[in-house]
Every structure is written in structure tokens, then in C-alpha cells.
């Protein structure tokens, strides 16, 4: 079965509640036309409830940008999967900014992935190498390690029928927010030669072929058509461009158009 395109907008630490309401009011009318694409908006925690209310009655999904793996406890400043699941269906996990600035490692990402699945959340699991790792020729080794670690302990628990409940985002760290995206060929090679084979070893070929794998890293309306036209790239995790309603709509449109292309 063909994989349904998936585009998520990661607003990062931008947008007050008022700004989020205004943004969603601009976004929703344009996004509703692209029903062939799974569209997700990931605002900051403070705006989740306001955005949830505005998305009621649409098929546009809501996601959070992070969570703790425990369901409750003395973890000041954290939010639990139970709290997220009250509002959201999706959760971004393992983003490079979380790894870089907040000390997240492969083990914590794995614990969060397990918690997300246990509470009915669809994890968008981010993997990718730094510039230093890329220049050292370690891209494949680093990404393989991150994928293995993210799914550690889930062997036997996820079959091909669960593939739609997991999303992987390949985000080379050196391309995020730099205006220097990976090449389409470079991103597709990592997906084809590392991510899907690693998932095959863990869960089998049917699961690996069914999982959506996104590209993220300076994706915009100009390069989205090229990225999404490749058969290995199932959509995007979009950062800065998701804060511009017209541009984000064009990115979603590109994902929709990819269905009827040679892909």
C-alpha cells in the first residue's frame, strides 16, 4: 500500500497564545483542501489547548514538541504523556535541539517512545547526524545507532499493522535552521540504506516499508517539491517555514501533489 504523505509544522519556541490563534485561523482554511496528506501542527505547550479548540471539526492533527516518560511525579517543569494525550495525538521526540541543549540521549528518547505508544500517541522520532559526524563519514553509523536505540525493547510489540502509529524524521543537524538543506539524493540515501534497513532488522520488511519517513532541515516551499517527489521521502517535519501560513500551505500542497507524480 502507498504511504500517506505526512507534513508536520514544528513551531518550536515561537507564538504566544494570541499569535497561535491568529496563525491557526489563517492556516486551517488553506490546509483543509489537502485531505490526502496527514497534516499536523505542533505549537508550544502554552498554546496547545487554544489550538486544539480551533482544530475541532477538522482532520488536522495536533502535536506537542516534547514530554517526559513518567505519567506523574516530582519532575518540575515537565509534562507527562497523560497530560499530552488529553489534547494531542502526536508527539515530537528526540529532536536535535532537545539532544543538543537539554541533554537528551538515546536512552531517554527510547523511554519516551515507549511511553508515547503506551498512551496512544504517535511519536515523530527524530534522528540525524551533526556536521562533525558527517564530515567524519559517520552519518550511516550515527543514524543507525539512533534508530536502533529509539526502538529498543519494542521488538515483537510492533507489527506491520502498527506502522501507521510511528513516524521517523531524518533531520541532519547541520541542515536545521541553517538554510543549508541536505540534497534530495543525500537524504534519500540515508533513508534507503540506513533507516529502512535498520527497521527491517528490528521489525521486518513489511513494517519498514510501511513506516512514513520524513525529511526535516531547512525545508521550504521552494525545495519541498523536489524532496517530496522522491519515493523514499514521505513528507516533512517543517520548522521555520511552518510559521508562515502561505508557505506552509505550499509545502502541504507539494506533498499532496507528490501522490500523483512518478513517486
Amino acid at each position: 500500500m502507498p504511504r500517506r504523505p505526512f507534513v508536520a509544522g514544528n513551531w518550536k519556541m515561537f507564538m504566544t497564545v494570541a499569535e497561535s490563534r491568529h496563525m491557526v485561523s489563517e492556516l486551517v482554511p488553506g490546509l483543509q483542501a489537502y485531505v490526502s496528506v496527514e497534516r499536523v501542527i505542533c505549537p508550544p505547550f502554552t498554546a496547545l489547548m487554544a489550538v486544539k479548540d480551533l482544530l475541532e471539526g477538522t482532520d488536522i492533527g495536533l502535536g506537542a514538541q516534547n514530554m517526559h516518560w513518567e505519567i506523574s511525579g516530582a519532575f518540575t517543569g515537565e509534562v507527562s504523556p497523560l497530560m499530552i494525550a488529553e489534547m494531542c495525538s502526536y508527539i515530537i521526540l528526540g529532536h536535535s535541539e532537545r539532544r543538543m541543549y537539554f541533554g537528551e540521549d538515546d536512552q531517554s528518547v527510547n523511554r519516551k517512545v515507549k511511553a508515547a505508544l503506551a498512551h496512544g500517541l504517535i511519536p515523530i522520532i527524530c534522528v540525524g547526524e551533526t556536521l562533525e559526524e558527517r564530515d567524519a563519514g559517520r552519518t550511516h553509523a550515527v543514524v543507525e545507532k539512533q534508530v536502533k536505540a529509539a526502538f529498543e525493547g519494542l521488538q515483537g510489540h510492533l507489527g506491520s499493522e502498527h506502522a501507521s502509529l510511528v513516524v521517523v524524521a531524518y533531520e541532519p543537524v547541520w541542515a536545521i535552521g541553517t538554510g543549508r538543506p541536505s540534497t534530495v539524493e543525500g537524504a534519500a540515501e540515508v533513508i534507503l540504506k540506513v533507516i529502512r534497513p535498520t527497521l527491517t532488522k528490528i521489525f521486518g520488511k513489511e513494517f519498514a516499508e510501511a513506516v512514513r519517513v520524513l525529511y526535516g532541515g531547512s525545508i521550504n516551499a521552494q525545495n519541498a517539491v523536489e524532496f517530496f517527489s522522491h519515493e523514499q521521502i514521505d513528507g516533512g517535519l517543517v520548522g521555520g517555514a511552518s510559521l508562515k501560513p502561505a508557505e506552509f500551505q505550499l509545502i502541504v500542497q507539494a506533498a499532496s501533489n507528490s501522490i500523483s507524480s512518478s513517486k
Side-chain angles (χ1 to χ4, degrees):
M1 291 290 292
R3 297 182 294 266
R4 184 185 181 194
F6 188 109
V7 177
N10 176 15
W11 290 5
K12 306 191 179 186
M13 199 176 71
F14 294 98
M15 297 288 155
T16 64
V17 173
E19 290 170 337
S20 296
R21 287 194 181 103
H22 179 72
M23 173 75 78
V24 172
S25 69
E26 288 192 45
L27 273 174
V28 167
L31 294 184
Q32 284 188 298
Y34 302 106
V35 295
S36 60
V37 178
E38 198 162 342
R39 297 136 292 158
V40 179
I41 296 171
C42 301
F45 287 129
T46 53
L48 283 174
M49 185 57 75
V51 173
K52 177 182 182 293
D53 290 343
L54 291 171
L55 293 180
E56 287 290 338
T58 78
D59 65 342
I60 300 168
L62 180 64
Q65 298 174 20
N66 183 43
M67 69 175 196
H68 199 279
W69 57 82
E70 295 286 357
I71 61 172
S72 63
F75 302 105
T76 300
E78 291 288 343
V79 293
S80 81
L82 280 178
M83 297 169 184
I84 297 299
E86 284 186 320
M87 296 177 283
C88 301
S89 298
Y90 305 84
I91 181 77
I92 299 173
L93 298 176
H95 193 282
S96 64
E97 290 160 2
R98 298 296 312 173
R99 297 177 190 254
M100 185 184 308
Y101 302 128
F102 302 101
E104 290 198 7
D105 56 19
D106 289 341
Q107 182 182 27
S108 63
V109 172
N110 175 248
R111 296 175 80 172
K112 291 180 180 187
V113 170
K114 290 175 178 174
L117 292 171
H119 291 87
L121 293 164
I122 296 176
I124 303 169
I125 304 165
C126 301
V127 298
E129 79 283 9
T130 65
L131 180 61
E132 292 75 18
E133 291 165 339
R134 174 177 180 259
D135 289 345
R138 298 183 56 224
T139 294
H140 287 203
V142 168
V143 174
E144 180 181 6
K145 177 177 178 288
Q146 290 176 343
V147 174
K148 282 182 177 178
F151 291 99
E152 179 66 34
L154 289 167
Q155 300 90 329
H157 296 279
L158 296 177
S160 58
E161 68 275 18
H162 302 117
S164 63
L165 303 181
V166 175
V167 178
V168 177
Y170 171 56
E171 291 200 308
V173 180
W174 49 270
I176 297 173
T178 64
R180 178 189 171 190
S182 170
T183 64
V184 175
E185 294 76 16
E189 177 182 330
V190 173
I191 295 170
L192 179 63
K193 295 186 178 180
V194 184
I195 296 176
R196 293 202 193 279
T198 303
L199 290 173
T200 297
K201 291 177 184 176
I202 302 170
F203 301 112
K205 186 175 179 62
E206 193 174 353
F207 178 93
E209 289 299 321
V211 166
R212 270 87 58 86
V213 183
L214 317 180
Y215 171 73
S218 296
I219 196 165
N220 55 47
Q222 287 68 50
N223 60 31
V225 173
E226 186 179 7
F227 275 103
F228 298 166
S229 67
H230 198 286
E231 64 180 2
Q232 288 298 327
I233 300 173
D234 302 314
L237 180 55
V238 185
S242 70
L243 298 169
K244 304 170 185 176
E247 183 159 8
F248 189 61
Q249 180 178 333
L250 287 173
I251 293 170
V252 173
Q253 183 181 48
S256 177
N257 291 343
S258 72
I259 299 172
S260 56
S261 71
S262 57
K263 183 176 181 177

